[in-house]
Amino acid sequence: MNYPDFNNIKIDNPPGVSPVAGDTTLLAKHIKKLKPKHALEIGTGTGFVPIYLATCGITCDASDITKQAVETAKKNARRNKVTQKFFVSDLFQSVKGQYDVIFFNPPFGNTSNKTLAKYLEIVKSFIPKKSDIAIHISYLLIARQRRILIQSFLREAKKHLHKRGSVVVFLFEKELDIAGPYKQKKLGQYKGFHLMQLFF
């Protein structure tokens, strides 16, 4: 699919990889506005955001827990004739170095079982993100696991941020208390999710 509003990048979105939706494009716009020298995306999916950032001259490493997503992102990067670093990682497991901005659009669901996690991603790729009902039902089913995932992300992110760096993360309305301990700025909103920039 072509995205004329995003430097006309072309993205292939196969089944089993989290689809590009309004939350993805909102994230891309705001990360570009922050103008990081070196960013990191956790859970890249198709690679949409790093690929768009590459066309804007921004370096962005990106990881995903599934090999299929990373391979898709690499193929999409080649298709758009851009270079970014894509690699398989469970959160920060394989991350090295420090960044100005680390961003994450947490998935609907998390499990410590890596095989089950991959199947969850495949199932979630078929859930229409535009459906408010699907969003709320999905959230109720995985609220506890998602909260644990976000808290783990924030704990680990500190170790990989430059001194004045920040994280950008989507939080559901019922998760905003997680941002309580941090200096924060709301960047935007998609459905019931708030795009938050947090400073440590």
Side-chain angles (χ1 to χ4, degrees), residues 27-28 34 119 137 146:
L27 184 58
L34 294 176
Y119 285 114
I137 290 173
R146 186 179 146 94

Short mmCIF file of all heavy atoms in Angstrom, two decimals, residues 27-28 34 119 137 146:
data_model
loop_
_atom_site.label_atom_id
_atom_site.label_comp_id
_atom_site.label_asym_id
_atom_site.label_seq_id
_atom_site.Cartn_x
_atom_site.Cartn_y
_atom_site.Cartn_z
N LEU A 27 1.90 8.10 15.39
CA LEU A 27 3.21 7.92 16.00
C LEU A 27 4.31 8.43 15.07
O LEU A 27 5.21 9.16 15.50
CB LEU A 27 3.43 6.44 16.32
CG LEU A 27 4.69 6.02 17.06
CD1 LEU A 27 4.80 6.74 18.40
CD2 LEU A 27 4.70 4.52 17.27
N ALA A 28 4.23 8.08 13.80
CA ALA A 28 5.23 8.51 12.82
C ALA A 28 5.33 10.03 12.75
O ALA A 28 6.42 10.61 12.74
CB ALA A 28 4.90 7.93 11.45
N LEU A 34 9.75 15.42 16.76
CA LEU A 34 10.74 15.46 17.85
C LEU A 34 12.17 15.58 17.32
O LEU A 34 13.08 15.93 18.07
CB LEU A 34 10.61 14.22 18.73
CG LEU A 34 9.29 14.10 19.51
CD1 LEU A 34 9.26 12.77 20.28
CD2 LEU A 34 9.11 15.26 20.47
N TYR A 119 2.03 -16.46 18.14
CA TYR A 119 0.68 -16.77 17.69
C TYR A 119 -0.31 -15.65 18.05
O TYR A 119 -1.22 -15.35 17.28
CB TYR A 119 0.21 -18.11 18.25
CG TYR A 119 0.84 -19.28 17.56
CD1 TYR A 119 1.72 -20.13 18.24
CD2 TYR A 119 0.59 -19.54 16.21
CE1 TYR A 119 2.33 -21.20 17.59
CE2 TYR A 119 1.20 -20.61 15.56
CZ TYR A 119 2.06 -21.44 16.25
OH TYR A 119 2.66 -22.49 15.61
N ILE A 137 -12.82 -4.68 23.82
CA ILE A 137 -12.90 -6.09 24.22
C ILE A 137 -11.50 -6.68 24.34
O ILE A 137 -11.18 -7.37 25.31
CB ILE A 137 -13.76 -6.90 23.23
CG1 ILE A 137 -15.23 -6.49 23.34
CG2 ILE A 137 -13.60 -8.39 23.47
CD1 ILE A 137 -16.14 -7.10 22.31
N ARG A 146 -0.74 -6.53 29.60
CA ARG A 146 -0.28 -5.32 28.90
C ARG A 146 0.36 -4.34 29.87
O ARG A 146 1.40 -3.74 29.59
CB ARG A 146 -1.47 -4.68 28.17
CG ARG A 146 -1.07 -3.49 27.29
CD ARG A 146 -2.31 -2.95 26.59
NE ARG A 146 -2.20 -1.52 26.43
CZ ARG A 146 -1.73 -0.92 25.34
NH1 ARG A 146 -1.31 -1.65 24.32
NH2 ARG A 146 -1.65 0.39 25.29
#
